[in-house]
Amino acid sequence: MTIRGKWSIALLSVLVVSLALNLFIIGFAASRVYQFHHGRGPGIERMFSSFLAKFPREIRHELREEMEDIRPEMSAAMRDLHNARRDMIEVMRDPGMTSEALGHAMMRVREKLDAVQTLGLEAVRRVVDEADPRLRSEIEQRRPRWRRGERD
């Protein structure tokens, strides 16, 4: 049986769109796997991007360069944090879990989170310390989204 006429055009269009979507999804997944295995996961950039928006362009540029310089240390710290969270979940899932073991695992997550935060804040401190006072005066103070609806 052969499909002819409008049905053939509609079917061909659906197949082309389906192929394009599949290629897009496969490409996206492959890029994520590649980035993860080469230490370029989106986590750091995503966390840092909303923070960067508050700074003038010149300082943002310097902050990006500084973050690129500490990328190996930050990636290791993020990996340690991920492992600590994974270990904490394993403790939670253990049928013989004790409050002491859970508390220890939570403290380990806290320590790793502090390490990530310290690396980032030290990078910001170094850049802002060297920035021109005129540029520092342009750093914005934005209200958090959850407070924007409130009145002062």
Side-chain angles (χ1 to χ4, degrees):
M1 171 159 97
T2 305
I3 300 175
R4 293 191 176 124
K6 291 180 183 178
W7 286 108
S8 65
I9 294 171
L11 183 60
L12 183 60
S13 298
V14 169
L15 289 173
V16 167
V17 169
S18 175
L19 176 64
L21 283 172
N22 283 324
L23 290 174
F24 173 77
I25 291 169
I26 290 169
F28 182 78
S31 73
R32 290 298 184 204
V33 168
Y34 177 82
Q35 288 175 350
F36 177 77
H37 289 292
H38 289 86
R40 297 185 180 265
I44 298 169
E45 288 82 4
R46 191 177 306 142
M47 288 187 324
F48 203 58
S49 66
S50 64
F51 180 70
L52 280 178
K54 298 177 182 186
F55 292 93
R57 179 179 294 132
E58 296 88 350
I59 294 178
R60 275 197 313 260
H61 177 73
E62 293 297 322
L63 283 169
R64 283 191 181 104
E65 285 183 0
E66 184 70 23
M67 290 305 290
E68 190 61 37
D69 290 345
I70 66 167
R71 181 181 288 278
E73 294 91 351
M74 186 63 86
S75 293
M78 291 292 286
R79 200 169 23 259
D80 290 346
L81 175 60
H82 172 77
N83 291 337
R85 285 180 176 164
R86 186 192 64 227
D87 294 346
M88 180 181 69
I89 290 170
E90 287 301 317
V91 168
M92 290 177 182
R93 295 177 67 183
D94 183 6
M97 179 197 85
T98 64
S99 181
E100 183 179 333
L102 181 58
H104 178 72
M106 287 179 167
M107 287 305 297
R108 185 165 176 261
V109 168
R110 185 75 193 126
E111 290 167 4
K112 300 306 177 184
L113 187 59
D114 286 345
V116 169
Q117 189 175 32
T118 299
L119 277 171
L121 290 176
E122 282 298 310
V124 171
R125 185 194 54 78
R126 285 190 297 272
V127 170
V128 172
D129 275 351
E130 296 175 6
D132 184 321
R134 179 189 59 78
L135 288 174
R136 288 197 319 258
S137 71
E138 295 175 19
I139 298 172
E140 295 180 31
Q141 177 65 34
R142 295 185 181 170
R143 294 176 70 179
R145 284 187 184 151
W146 58 272
R147 295 206 50 187
R148 288 188 184 156
E150 296 178 11
R151 303 237 179 235
D152 289 324

